[in-house]
């Protein structure tokens, strides 16, 4: 069966940097608290001209350039997001128009922070059945618009950004295996209710429903256990050990979650890519931004075994193994 290979990556971060010191002026918090509990120092916040689809389109152009693929040759654009520019049309349709991918079909998926992995898995299955397809997969978020800036439990965690990759079929390497899970029974531990809407019947008077609501401690506990379990499941199914992995690129939620995950998996820190300190949790964008940085920093060599894992609202979680 033809495998899907990542032939180019790109990312785009908004210009504005929001530091922990800036947050000290907005809510009752401290740089020391945020750093020690999350490892986050700064995050990026979208401004004018940096709407979700605009960040996504810039990341897309960069991925297309690195792949040497023209937008006009794309067959399919898939955007993972939970903070789209509009509910309808999809962010993917806006990206299609922005980059000029006239022959592609386009739609969004929402699997919260696991969205990029779920999207990659779907794209890989399209390529398995139609190997001539060229597919653009993007994870893109502007969560700053969906965060309550008076809620110190959540506003310190999230950031905006987009990451993208181009997929083509390949005879060797590419996406080797993936395992995805969901548990909708736990939806109320991490959720975002009705989107801001001009319809007064849908608009929450206090707009509380429009913001991310989170039971932080529970999410923390489930995230560590779920990511550990799904990584072990995948390694066992592939009959390999964590030592065979050249680079682990996990969802960038929080340094403490990643620390616990590394400890439980027994993986050395130098084999784990971490940039949550700079960008905070960018949800569906975190893995593709990290992948693009890892690639541009020379952390990935041809033939390397790369492992992704993620966890997010739903709950949703998964892991994916690929040969670079
Ligand atoms: O993609 C998944 C997305 N979600 C996550 O990754 C979140 C996972 N959870 C976490 O990372 C952690 O639970 C947090 C970083 C959100 C919170 O850390 P914690 O150690 O679990 O703290 P806590 O929620 O138990 O709160 C401890 C105290 C509380 O005060 P009291 O009740 O003990 O007086 C909070 O009110 O810390 C307080 N607190 C803060 N203090 C200063 C909560 N947020 C802040 C803050 N600054 N920003």
């Amino acid at each position: 069966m033809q495998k899907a290979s990542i032939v180019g990556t790109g990312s785009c971060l908004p210009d504005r940097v929001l530091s922990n010191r800036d947050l000290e002026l907005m809510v009752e918090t401290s740089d020391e608290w945020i750093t020690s509990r999350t490892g986050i120092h700064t995050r990026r916040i979208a401004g004018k001209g940096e709407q979700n689809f605009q960040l996504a389109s810039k990341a897309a152009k960069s991925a297309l350039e690195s792949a040497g693929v023209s937008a006009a040759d794309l067959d399919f654009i898939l955007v993972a997001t939970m903070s789209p520019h509009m509910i309808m049309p999809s962010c993917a349709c806006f990206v299609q128009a922005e980059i000029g991918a006239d022959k592609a079909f386009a739609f969004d998926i929402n699997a919260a922070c696991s969205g990029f992995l779920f999207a990659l898995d779907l794209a890989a299955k399209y390529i398995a059945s139609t190997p001539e397809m060229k597919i653009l997969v993007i994870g893109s978020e502007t969560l700053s618009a969906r965060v309550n800036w008076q809620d110190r439990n959540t506003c310190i965690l999230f950031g905006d950004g987009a990451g993208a990759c181009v997929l083509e079929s390949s005879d060797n390497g590419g996406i080797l295996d993936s395992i995805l899970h969901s548990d909708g029974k736990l939806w109320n531990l991490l959720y975002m209710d009705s989107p801001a809407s001009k319809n007064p019947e849908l608009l929450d008077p206090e707009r509380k429903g429009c913001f991310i609501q989170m039971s932080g401690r529970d999410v923390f506990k489930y995230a560590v256990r779920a990511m550990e379990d799904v990584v072990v499941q995948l390694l066992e199914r592939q009959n390999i050990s964590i030592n065979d992995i050249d680079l682990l690129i996990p969802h960038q939620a929080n340094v403490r979650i990643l620390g616990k995950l590394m400890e439980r998996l027994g993986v050395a820190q130098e084999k784990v890519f971490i940039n949550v300190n700079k960008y905070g949790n960018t949800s569906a964008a975190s893995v593709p931004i990290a992948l693009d940085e890892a690639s541009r920093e020379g952390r990935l060599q041809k033939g390397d075994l790369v492992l992704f894992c993620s966890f997010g609202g739903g709950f949703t979680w998964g892991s994916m193994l690929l040969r670079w």
Side-chain angles (χ1 to χ4, degrees), residues 119-265:
L120 262 190
D121 182 68
L122 183 60
K125 278 157 187 156
Y126 267 91
I127 284 182
S129 67
T130 317
E132 59 278 13
M133 284 183 87
K134 290 186 197 302
I135 305 181
L136 176 64
V137 180
I138 303 172
S140 182
E141 303 282 9
T142 43
L143 288 171
S144 59
R146 308 307 304 271
V147 156
N148 180 352
W149 288 102
Q150 281 149 25
D151 175 12
R152 66 178 184 173
N153 290 296
T154 52
C155 74
I156 56 145
L157 294 174
F158 298 98
D160 300 335
C165 67
V166 179
L167 291 184
E168 284 179 0
S169 69
S170 95
D171 293 322
N172 51 20
I175 294 171
L176 304 176
D177 199 0
S178 56
I179 297 178
L180 310 179
H181 289 290
S182 303
D183 187 350
K185 293 191 296 297
L186 300 171
W187 71 270
N188 61 343
L189 297 177
L190 180 56
Y191 67 95
M192 191 157 59
D193 216 326
S194 51
S197 166
K198 294 253 162 28
N199 180 348
E201 285 174 18
L202 289 179
L203 196 60
D204 182 314
E206 293 176 351
R207 276 199 77 214
K208 278 198 177 136
C210 299
F211 298 129
I212 293 173
Q213 312 283 328
M214 184 181 69
S215 172
R217 281 197 176 182
D218 292 319
V219 173
F220 191 106
K221 210 172 55 193
Y222 278 103
V224 173
R225 199 184 310 145
M227 284 196 284
E228 180 198 4
D229 287 351
V230 75
V231 165
V232 169
Q233 239 183 322
L234 189 59
L235 294 174
E236 281 178 5
R237 186 155 92 180
Q238 286 292 319
N239 206 15
I240 56 174
S241 108
I242 193 73
N243 299 325
D244 297 319
I245 301 299
D246 295 293
L247 193 64
L248 171 63
I249 305 184
H251 167 49
Q252 307 287 313
N254 170 327
V255 160
R256 272 165 64 224
I257 291 181
L258 298 183
K260 284 246 180 296
L261 182 67
M262 288 188 278
E263 193 184 303
R264 288 182 182 215
L265 290 173

